[in-house]
Amino acid sequence: MTITLPDGARRELPAGATGADLAAAVGRRLAESAVAVLVDGAPVDLTGPLADGATVAVVTADSEPGRRILRHSTAHVMAQAVTQLWPGARYAIGPPIEDGFYYDFELPGGAHFSDEDLGRIEERMREIVAADQPFVREDHTVAEGLELFADQPYKREIIEGVDAGEGAAEGAVSAYRNTADFVDLCRGPHVPSTSRLGHFKLLKVAAAYWRGDEQRPQLQRIYGTAWESEAALGEHLHRLEEAERRDHRRLGSELDLFHFPPEIGSGLPVFHPKGGLVRKLMEDYSRAEHEAAGYEFVYTPHITKAALLEISGHLGWYAEGMYPPMELEGSAYYPKPMNCPMHILVYKARQRSYRELPLRLFEFGTVYRFERSGVLNGLLRARGFTQDDSHIFCSSDQLEGELASLLAFVLRLLRTFGLADFEAELSTRPEKYVGDPEEWEVATAALRSALEAARIPFVVAEGEGAFYAPKIDVHVRDAIGRRWQVSTLQVDLQMPQRFDMEYVGADNGRHRPYMVHRALFGSIERFFAILIEHYAGALPTWLAPEQVRVLPVTSDHHAYADRVADRLRADGLRVGVASADETLGSRVRRAKLEKVPYVLVAGDEDVDAGTVGVNTRGVQRVRRGVAVSELSEAVRAEVAGRLATTGA
RNA sequence: GCCCGAGUAGCUCAGCGGUAGAGCAGGCGCCUUGUAAGCGUCAGGUCGUCGGUUCGAACCCGACCUCGGGCUCCA
């Protein structure tokens, strides 16, 4: 028979040949790294027979689809290990996920896994791998499947779902058997045998609700990771360590930036002087840029009577995410969860003319949201935070241009903060929506054209918009490749109506303005955390709380060091001096740990020559005898340019 | 909210039924240092909170508080 390869080449194989045979025919190395084949695009086991005339691609372990298969097979091995160690355990689902896999179990007697159990399970898994058990596919009818998994209620539920489901293979189910005792319901494909696995590690235990539903039983989940080689596994584990090293909560206390006092409450941070300084620098820069871009600054209160949130609709669909109200003089006052209703009231303070549009209102508005305790996560997910929030009101013919310049503005500021690797998402009208479909179309088209003008990669998330607005979400990748959602642009099709907003047009008629919500940092706290993690605490010089530290070699050089520091301060730099009570090495070390960009050392030679020794963050070589004026100029240039890396 | 784990000096952690420990940080003294930890000394704790078991609790049990991980990724 004839098989076509993805590059168009044809191979003649004997009838009944399998994917494994094909891989072997192409080459030995391919055969070794093959985990499955794609037959006309559909993933199939290596052991399955191929059909004449098919187009077949070999999936290798070092590709993302290949790793998914490895991970999926490893999950089965884990399930087998668990069922051996806990006889009577029920196993639910065990899919591959990004960078790994998990499997959910229900242990007999409601037992729970502990961290120590992971080692035992891993050990048993290694035995299973060493035993080189085959993955043998079995096809069953639904009735047979229900019989096979008679004592596995979760599997039975899945099978029943398949039967009712969207035409899934005419009510057939498949299972993969490793041993006489262990078989798992599975769509496949899988690696041919367990010896193809082995580069894995179990990472953590967690609880998860069956099918993610709080109303259903809570299962015990084990997360693990698996890779095609020991080296790839090692790299992944190293990435995890790196992420931990960059954790903003850890750096936040090491660098004395902020903390969460329990006395205040969960998710409510306080910024220390150094963190406050960084935040002020971010805000100052943002304010200046907004001013230059034609925004007007407004200030609104932190609490509001219920009436406002009834008009905006927040009380209707957002109440459980809000702090409960205080009763005062017969009214209920809520801490605000959003700034937009108040900005609308600024708009509505008087009649508006088309000549005033676009009206761009900006505020660092602090909002409070009652996040569930379990989802709080440092500054990334807090209960009180400050949005750099703006609302733009414009006419329909201004919408497209406004969105395009808005997006360009957003991207420019993000780039200044050193985040330049963008991916955007355009979320379109969901199934449940409010408003006029034609308006949705206009708004969505305007967002799309803004994205196209900005020339950044974007994907369309069909039906993912909020029910009142299509939107653009901007994601950035940080220094270690993690993706963060930051800015959002939404065209609100709901609020202008709810608040009956209008302006008087050139035609002397009344018109409804468009309203655009836009948060650039999202929340300042969250963006602060992303920067800390992106830079691993080593903020660029323009954002560093202390930009320069001067170290006199001995106390004899103190006066000179102070003179240098004063000179640099007069030049507008933030400078500290570390007195000579400790050894120079110890002070250098301290300055390095505190991530000060420039460490200057001043000794005898320098006093005579008006110079300093310059130890620059991230630069191996120390430069001796640098004139203070030269150093100052270089650092100032770096700060003025808001460069992301130290240089001088 | 629910499950698992953790709360001992400012920080990181040891101790896990029998009188509270170390390193770092901090105070003081000595040292006067040329690029990532000089030496000594002192101080610092109701062992998260409340209750229980026990002759005796940091340790065992319960409740609460706080923190960390997880609760969409369909067999």
Side-chain angles (χ1 to χ4, degrees):
Chain A
M1 64 182 180
T2 308
I3 298 296
T4 307
L5 294 171
D7 62 0
R10 286 163 193 280
R11 288 271 166 176
E12 290 301 325
L13 291 173
T18 64
D21 296 331
L22 174 70
V26 174
R28 202 170 61 90
R29 281 184 47 200
L30 185 67
E32 278 169 7
S33 65
V35 291
V37 287
L38 288 176
V39 178
D40 298 324
V44 173
D45 291 314
L46 278 179
T47 50
L50 300 175
D52 188 25
T55 297
V56 181
V58 176
V59 179
T60 56
D62 57 358
S63 67
E64 219 27 63
R67 288 187 199 106
R68 286 182 69 80
I69 291 167
L70 282 183
R71 288 165 185 159
H72 197 176
S73 298
T74 306
H76 277 229
V77 171
M78 180 166 82
Q80 187 185 340
V82 168
T83 53
Q84 285 177 10
L85 293 168
W86 283 267
R90 289 162 170 173
Y91 42 117
I93 59 168
I97 55 175
E98 189 177 352
D99 291 341
F101 60 91
Y102 67 79
Y103 215 116
D104 288 345
F105 301 95
E106 184 180 78
L107 297 183
H112 299 295
F113 293 118
S114 69
D115 288 340
E116 292 77 58
D117 292 331
L118 293 185
R120 295 169 57 207
I121 298 167
E122 248 186 67
E123 217 171 288
R124 181 59 62 98
M125 287 171 70
R126 304 219 180 269
E127 291 169 20
I128 294 169
V129 167
D132 195 15
Q133 298 173 1
F135 278 87
V136 181
R137 184 184 174 97
E138 297 176 353
D139 290 294
H140 296 285
T141 64
V142 166
E144 288 166 355
L146 290 173
E147 177 62 25
L148 186 60
F149 292 102
D151 54 357
Q152 291 293 338
Y154 298 107
K155 297 293 174 192
R156 288 171 60 96
E157 189 175 326
I158 293 163
I159 294 169
E160 282 157 2
V162 167
D163 192 24
E166 329 84 53
E170 301 97 38
V173 297
S174 58
Y176 281 77
R177 182 176 291 282
N178 290 115
T179 68
D181 295 325
F182 185 78
V183 60
D184 193 359
L185 183 69
C186 188
R187 189 147 53 194
H190 279 285
V191 297
S193 74
T194 57
S195 66
R196 305 297 295 268
L197 311 171
H199 313 293
F200 61 83
K201 184 169 170 60
L202 303 187
L203 297 176
K204 55 197 169 199
V205 297
Y209 296 99
W210 170 232
R211 306 221 140 155
D213 183 348
E214 294 178 28
Q215 306 304 316
R216 312 196 67 173
Q218 194 162 39
L219 305 175
Q220 292 282 300
R221 175 172 297 182
I222 298 177
Y223 283 92
T225 187
W227 296 81
E228 70 274 17
S229 68
E230 219 42 39
L233 173 64
E235 270 172 43
H236 177 69
L237 295 176
H238 182 259
R239 276 196 298 277
L240 293 182
E241 278 171 30
E242 181 64 17
E244 203 181 316
R245 194 177 71 78
R246 289 168 177 259
D247 191 309
H248 74 279
R249 291 164 301 200
R250 174 198 179 110
L251 289 167
S253 70
E254 280 177 10
L255 300 177
D256 196 18
L257 301 173
F258 61 87
H259 85 290
F260 289 85
E263 295 86 340
I264 296 180
S266 287
L268 298 167
V270 293
F271 279 71
H272 302 184
K274 282 188 196 169
L277 176 52
V278 174
R279 178 170 171 165
K280 177 177 177 296
L281 292 163
M282 293 167 61
E283 293 178 359
D284 287 349
Y285 172 66
S286 168
R287 277 205 187 87
E289 291 295 319
H290 278 85
E291 197 166 1
Y295 287 79
E296 300 178 89
F297 291 34
V298 298
Y299 294 85
T300 63
H302 287 208
I303 59 174
T304 172
K305 285 204 278 195
L308 180 67
L309 302 173
E310 276 158 13
I311 299 172
S312 71
H314 287 102
L315 271 180
W317 27 266
Y318 197 67
E320 81 290 350
M322 288 168 44
Y323 272 85
M326 314 165 236
E327 297 293 335
L328 290 168
E329 296 176 336
S331 296
Y333 284 80
Y334 286 87
K336 66 176 170 184
M338 288 179 176
N339 302 301
C340 33
M342 294 195 180
H343 288 186
I344 290 171
L345 296 185
V346 172
Y347 178 99
K348 280 176 59 99
R350 60 180 168 77
Q351 194 172 57
R352 298 287 174 179
S353 153
Y354 75 99
R355 293 170 183 274
E356 294 179 76
L357 305 183
L359 183 67
R360 308 183 185 97
L361 304 182
F362 177 84
E363 177 179 19
F364 285 117
T366 302
V367 298
Y368 294 90
R369 297 180 182 176
F370 191 73
E371 303 283 0
R372 298 198 302 173
S373 60
V375 306
L376 295 174
N377 181 234
L379 293 177
L380 293 171
R381 193 86 177 262
R383 283 180 174 166
F385 56 93
T386 304
Q387 296 180 309
D388 58 331
D389 210 358
S390 71
H391 295 96
I392 294 135
F393 306 100
C394 64
S395 62
S396 61
D397 55 333
Q398 291 171 331
L399 182 64
E400 189 169 327
E402 232 359 74
L403 287 173
S405 68
L406 240 178
L407 185 60
F409 179 77
V410 165
L411 298 180
R412 186 163 63 76
L413 263 68
L414 291 174
R415 284 196 181 97
T416 305
F417 283 98
L419 298 164
D421 193 353
F422 304 118
E423 290 164 37
E425 209 165 84
L426 172 62
S427 298
T428 63
R429 194 182 65 187
E431 277 186 32
K432 286 178 87 174
Y433 67 100
V434 295
D436 175 1
E438 262 176 51
E439 285 198 334
W440 273 86
E441 208 31 66
V442 170
T444 309
L447 288 169
R448 179 189 292 269
S449 92
L451 280 168
E452 283 161 358
R455 297 173 187 279
I456 59 168
F458 71 96
V459 294
V460 177
E462 287 299 342
E464 293 294 308
F467 69 87
Y468 58 92
K471 60 173 181 172
I472 293 173
D473 290 318
V474 178
H475 300 248
V476 295
R477 283 199 186 272
D478 73 5
I480 56 171
R482 291 174 300 178
R483 199 159 175 258
W484 304 92
Q485 207 245 95
V486 282
S487 315
T488 303
L489 274 72
Q490 289 185 351
V491 181
D492 195 314
L493 299 169
Q494 173 79 341
M495 288 292 167
Q497 263 187 33
R498 282 183 164 268
F499 281 89
D500 193 24
M501 299 174 74
E502 56 183 30
Y503 64 90
V504 178
D507 59 358
N508 203 29
R510 308 228 161 186
H511 303 275
R512 183 85 73 212
Y514 274 88
M515 175 176 179
V516 180
H517 301 254
R518 190 238 56 187
L520 199 161
F521 295 145
S523 109
I524 297 172
E525 290 82 355
R526 181 178 139 85
F527 194 74
F528 180 97
I530 292 170
L531 287 183
I532 297 293
E533 302 217 355
H534 175 58
Y535 288 112
L539 292 166
T541 306
W542 75 277
L543 284 171
E546 187 177 344
Q547 297 168 317
V548 180
R549 185 173 298 175
V550 188
L551 277 43
V553 174
T554 76
S555 37
D556 293 340
H557 312 114
H558 235 121
Y560 177 70
D562 283 335
R563 275 210 308 285
V564 171
D566 285 341
R567 157 70 201 276
L568 296 173
R569 283 187 198 116
D571 287 346
L573 298 174
R574 296 183 289 275
V575 188
V577 176
S579 80
D581 297 339
E582 295 173 275
T583 60
L584 184 64
S586 147
R587 284 175 288 152
V588 168
R589 177 181 146 85
R590 188 188 301 262
K592 292 291 172 191
L593 290 176
E594 292 176 27
K595 322 260 187 201
V596 177
Y598 292 94
V599 178
L600 309 187
V601 174
D604 283 334
E605 299 164 22
D606 299 298
V607 174
D608 297 339
T611 59
V612 285
V614 180
N615 184 332
T616 307
R617 188 178 67 197
V619 175
Q620 279 299 310
R621 271 178 69 103
V622 168
R623 291 167 66 214
R624 293 281 295 270
V626 178
V628 173
S629 56
E630 181 195 332
L631 183 273
S632 171
E633 216 164 293
V635 177
R636 276 181 291 153
E638 183 188 324
V639 170
R642 298 196 170 81
L643 304 182
T645 51
T646 48

